Amino acid sequence: MAFWLFKSEPGEWSWDMQVAKGAAGEEWTGVRNYQARNFMRDMAVGDRGFFYHSQAERAIVGIVEVCKTAHPDSSTDDERWECVDIRAVEPLAHPVMLDMVKAEPGLADMVLVKNSRLSVQPVTADQWAAVLKLAKG
DNA sequence: GCCAACGTTGGC
DNA sequence: GCCAACGTTGGC
């Protein structure tokens, strides 16, 4: 099983909206970046991901699960763009702020830190565990 | 609100 | 195929 991170502006698509979709999940539409799309093509059902709120909030707030592999993005007719479906699994006990991630030496290589503009990114197993540790508060 | 980083586009 | 111009994202 692989780990990922999905970034969203809470004003566009928030964790609460994701939770409201329940176990059926929802398409992660709107990605218009080849790197991000390619990562979604690599995803398998059951892969886990962090749900990150960008902009004003800048925090990892929850855990999601891939529930459908990559398929055409229904928000566009442009067949270049694909997306997976994800469903909310559980919120983090304590949101992990970007500041905390940056302050953690073991997380210095996280894509979130190194390439802040990439909206769908891989997370290593070590990084996954380190973030969960921070989330315990 | 500003600006750095980065991706994309299009002229050559 | 290169690269300048431009648009977008997201942290600050």
Side-chain angles (χ1 to χ4, degrees):
Chain A
M1 178 177 66
F3 301 105
W4 311 94
L5 183 144
F6 297 85
K7 196 180 331 186
S8 184
E9 299 179 31
E12 296 292 319
W13 184 254
S14 69
W15 169 251
D16 286 346
M17 294 165 81
Q18 184 68 52
V19 169
K21 288 291 174 179
E26 177 73 346
E27 284 184 86
W28 193 258
T29 56
V31 170
R32 301 291 182 267
N33 172 284
Y34 292 108
Q35 250 189 301
R37 183 207 61 189
N38 292 343
F39 286 132
M40 288 199 285
R41 283 179 171 174
D42 287 342
M43 292 179 189
V45 170
D47 280 1
R48 291 290 168 110
F50 287 129
F51 193 106
Y52 176 82
H53 278 166
S54 66
Q55 301 205 326
E57 208 172 321
R58 273 167 280 133
I60 298 168
V61 294
I63 294 173
V64 296
E65 183 179 65
V66 175
C67 57
K68 191 175 180 185
T69 52
H71 56 82
D73 182 334
S74 70
S75 70
T76 177
D77 289 334
D78 190 331
E79 57 191 20
R80 287 177 301 169
W81 305 118
E82 299 174 17
C83 65
V84 297
D85 287 16
I86 62 172
R87 66 177 185 86
V89 175
E90 60 180 0
L92 296 186
H94 302 282
V96 175
M97 311 302 295
L98 180 61
D99 290 353
M100 295 165 64
V101 173
K102 287 188 167 177
E104 187 68 28
L107 293 175
D109 289 335
M110 249 187 113
V111 181
L112 190 64
V113 175
K114 290 199 146 179
N115 181 5
S116 61
R117 293 189 55 210
L118 187 60
S119 63
V120 176
Q121 15 177 302
V123 172
T124 67
D126 286 348
Q127 290 165 351
W128 183 265
V131 170
L132 288 183
K133 200 172 168 186
L134 292 175
K136 286 178 181 168

